[in-house]
């Protein structure tokens, strides 16, 4: 027979309950005590895309046809008119066109790009290449002259002209 004698004179184990309550409260707030991190560029290694991500928009600017107007910071303004190299994913403007010299380059894969997923307008750039390029789903790299667009809502906010196709990224 098992001796199941309970000592009724033992005081309530208050210390253990207090320790349990304290640890539960501490562990439940661990995830909330960290400050929220800003979104970070998750694409191919690039020194330029993270700079292009860091812009603001003015809501419903009348001179931008009611669309949010980009406001470029000094770091982005310093790139205006400069030659840059960008990796990314090709996104054709016209469905079914498999070769073009005018298309969009997204820093994110097509399923999360600006038009197809959760990316913003700062994650894409309009490309005007020197030669016609065959569309590919593989990541690619271009070099060209960057222009900032805060005047024409019919174009992307970033435009790369005289772009040279550097090839697919393996």
């Amino acid at each position: 027979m098992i001796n199941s004698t309970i000592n009724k004179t033992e005081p309530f184990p208050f210390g253990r309950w207090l320790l349990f309550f304290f640890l539960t409260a501490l562990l439940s707030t661990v995830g909330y005590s960290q400050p929220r991190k800003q979104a970070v560029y998750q694409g191919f290694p690039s020194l330029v895309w993270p700079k292009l991500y860091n812009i603001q928009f003015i809501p419903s600017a009348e001179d931008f046809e009611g669309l949010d107007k980009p406001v470029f910071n000094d770091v982005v303004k310093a790139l205006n008119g400069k030659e840059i190299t960008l990796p990314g994913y090709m996104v054709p403007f016209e469905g079914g066109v498999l070769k073009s010299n005018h298309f969009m380059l997204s820093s994110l894969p097509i399923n999360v790009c600006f038009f197809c997923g959760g990316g913003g307008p700062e994650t894409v750039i309009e490309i005007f290449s020197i030669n016609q390029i065959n569309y590919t789903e593989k990541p690619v790299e271009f070099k060209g002259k960057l222009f900032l667009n805060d005047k024409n809502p019919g174009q992307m906010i970033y435009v790369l002209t005289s772009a040279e196709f550097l090839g697919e990224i393996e």
Side-chain angles (χ1 to χ4, degrees):
M1 178 178 245
I2 299 175
N3 186 358
S4 60
T5 309
I6 298 176
N7 185 354
K8 301 221 183 225
T9 61
E10 181 180 331
F12 181 73
F14 184 73
R16 277 191 249 169
W17 282 104
L18 185 60
L19 180 62
F20 173 76
F21 176 77
F22 175 76
L23 289 175
T24 303
L26 179 67
L27 291 174
S28 68
T29 61
V30 167
Y32 299 106
S33 63
Q34 301 294 323
R36 184 174 175 260
K37 293 183 179 179
Q38 185 179 5
V40 199
Y41 172 65
Q42 297 294 318
F44 292 96
S46 170
L47 298 176
V48 179
W49 276 120
K51 294 175 185 175
L52 299 180
Y53 276 16
N54 195 14
I55 65 167
Q56 296 181 343
F57 294 90
I58 299 172
S60 301
E62 289 179 25
D63 60 335
F64 216 60
E65 294 183 7
L67 300 172
D68 291 348
K69 184 176 181 177
V71 178
F72 304 110
N73 64 28
D74 291 339
V75 173
V76 176
K77 286 180 184 176
L79 295 173
N80 192 31
K82 302 278 186 325
E83 187 173 89
I84 63 167
T85 301
L86 283 177
Y89 298 88
M90 294 175 70
V91 180
F93 278 122
E94 301 173 31
V97 175
L98 298 179
K99 190 171 188 174
S100 181
N101 66 337
H102 181 221
F103 48 90
M104 189 171 50
L105 185 71
S106 173
S107 66
L108 305 169
I110 196 164
N111 61 335
V112 290
C113 83
F114 176 50
F115 290 103
C116 309
E122 69 279 3
T123 65
V124 294
I125 187 166
E126 191 169 354
I127 301 282
F128 290 94
S129 66
I130 298 168
N131 301 314
Q132 289 206 344
I133 309 298
N134 289 322
Y135 172 76
T136 179
E137 291 180 354
K138 293 181 179 179
V140 294
E141 194 169 40
F142 283 90
K143 178 171 67 172
K145 191 178 273 193
L146 175 68
F147 289 99
L148 309 180
N149 173 32
D150 63 355
K151 305 274 187 269
N152 181 0
Q155 278 192 304
M156 302 278 114
I157 61 174
Y158 298 122
V159 180
L160 196 68
T161 62
S162 302
E164 178 186 347
F165 180 65
L166 299 179
E168 292 180 352
I169 300 172
E170 297 299 324

